[in-house]
Amino acid sequence: MTSSTGRPPSVIVVTGPSGAGKGTLIREVLKRVPGVAHSVSATTRDLRPGEENGREYHFLTLEEFLDRIERGDLLEHVTYVSGHRYGTLRSEIDRITEKGKVPLLELETEGALKVKREVPGAVTIFISATVEELERRLRERATESTGEIGERIALARHQLEQADEFDYVVENDDLDRAVEELTELVRGLLAGVGTMARP
Ligand code: 5GP
């Protein structure tokens, strides 16, 4: 349970299983809440159609990614399914904070827990959905190979069990309702109000 401190969070982390709709929800919240900005992560995975380097991610080669780790440029980093690397750039957090905004991070659960443990003032929000819904969305998106979808679903099952570790849970059963709930939650956090989503 998170208590109200009267201060906005240092960062807001949105996490949850692949296919829970984190990306869509975050895009909608960014349109509605001017006080937050998306922290653009680094990754070694390939661009998907419609993505742009520097917008969805900073797309790096493995060599470049390892070099950034070596230089201490990453706040946290993980190796995800099929060996792709993902990491939060400290420079993104600084860039956003210097503008007087709160960085909004989209992370898988391992990275989110690390930020929760290590970054003072971080607030974590878990986006949840049923396994059936996750599987349906991943197949619909079909940007991964069938094998990789299988791996993501297995991981998603495991990640759903971790929901309790986070400060808030938003159920994405209905997109409009979930957008509304997450928007109100983020607005409340920026205003320094720790609205209680958890019993
Ligand atoms: P996707 O390949 O679908 O864009 O992302 C795969 C997973 O990596 C998602 O769960 C996403 O939230 C997570 N992710 C994206 N950027 C980062 C990051 O910087 N750090 C961590 N730990 N996870 C990330």
Side-chain angles (χ1 to χ4, degrees), residues 22 41 45 48 57 76 78 80 86-88 106-108 111 141 152:
K22 302 189 290 287
S41 291
R45 80 149 162 77
R48 292 187 189 135
Y57 286 103
E76 59 75 42
V78 293
Y80 197 56
Y86 294 82
T88 304
E106 187 207 321
L107 309 180
E108 51 66 66
R141 189 161 80 189
R152 284 191 180 225

Side-chain angles (χ1 to χ4, degrees), residues 79-119:
T79 303
Y80 197 56
V81 282
S82 72
H84 296 307
R85 303 292 188 101
Y86 294 82
T88 304
L89 291 159
R90 291 184 194 279
S91 56
E92 279 292 299
I93 306 297
D94 294 344
R95 175 183 68 82
I96 295 165
T97 308
E98 277 160 20
K99 283 197 289 190
K101 297 192 177 200
V102 174
L104 194 63
L105 281 56
E106 187 207 321
L107 309 180
E108 51 66 66
T109 51
E110 193 187 324
L113 284 174
K114 185 161 194 289
V115 172
K116 181 177 155 73
R117 275 195 310 269
E118 295 177 11
V119 178

Side-chain angles (χ1 to χ4, degrees), residues 16 23 58 195:
H58 296 286
T195 42

Side-chain angles (χ1 to χ4, degrees), residues 63-195:
E63 197 183 2
E64 287 167 336
F65 195 95
L66 296 176
D67 187 50
R68 302 303 291 262
I69 296 175
E70 188 77 10
R71 285 195 267 153
D73 291 349
L74 300 179
L75 181 66
E76 59 75 42
H77 60 90
V78 293
T79 303
Y80 197 56
V81 282
S82 72
H84 296 307
R85 303 292 188 101
Y86 294 82
T88 304
L89 291 159
R90 291 184 194 279
S91 56
E92 279 292 299
I93 306 297
D94 294 344
R95 175 183 68 82
I96 295 165
T97 308
E98 277 160 20
K99 283 197 289 190
K101 297 192 177 200
V102 174
L104 194 63
L105 281 56
E106 187 207 321
L107 309 180
E108 51 66 66
T109 51
E110 193 187 324
L113 284 174
K114 185 161 194 289
V115 172
K116 181 177 155 73
R117 275 195 310 269
E118 295 177 11
V119 178
V123 169
T124 52
I125 304 171
F126 186 91
I127 308 298
S128 191
T130 61
V131 173
E132 295 72 33
E133 187 60 20
L134 292 178
E135 186 162 353
R136 193 186 63 72
R137 289 194 198 141
L138 284 173
R139 293 196 190 288
E140 208 172 78
R141 189 161 80 189
T143 45
E144 285 84 18
S145 66
T146 313
E148 196 172 322
I149 288 174
E151 283 177 61
R152 284 191 180 225
I153 290 167
L155 181 66
R157 281 178 192 275
H158 167 69
Q159 289 180 330
L160 279 176
E161 290 163 14
Q162 293 179 298
D164 284 350
E165 311 268 335
F166 300 97
D167 299 317
Y168 299 93
V169 176
V170 171
E171 202 75 43
N172 188 11
D173 43 1
D174 172 274
L175 183 64
D176 291 343
R177 197 204 52 77
V179 167
E180 190 82 3
E181 186 180 334
L182 186 60
T183 302
E184 283 317 304
L185 176 55
V186 170
R187 281 199 182 119
L189 290 169
L190 291 192
V193 182
T195 42

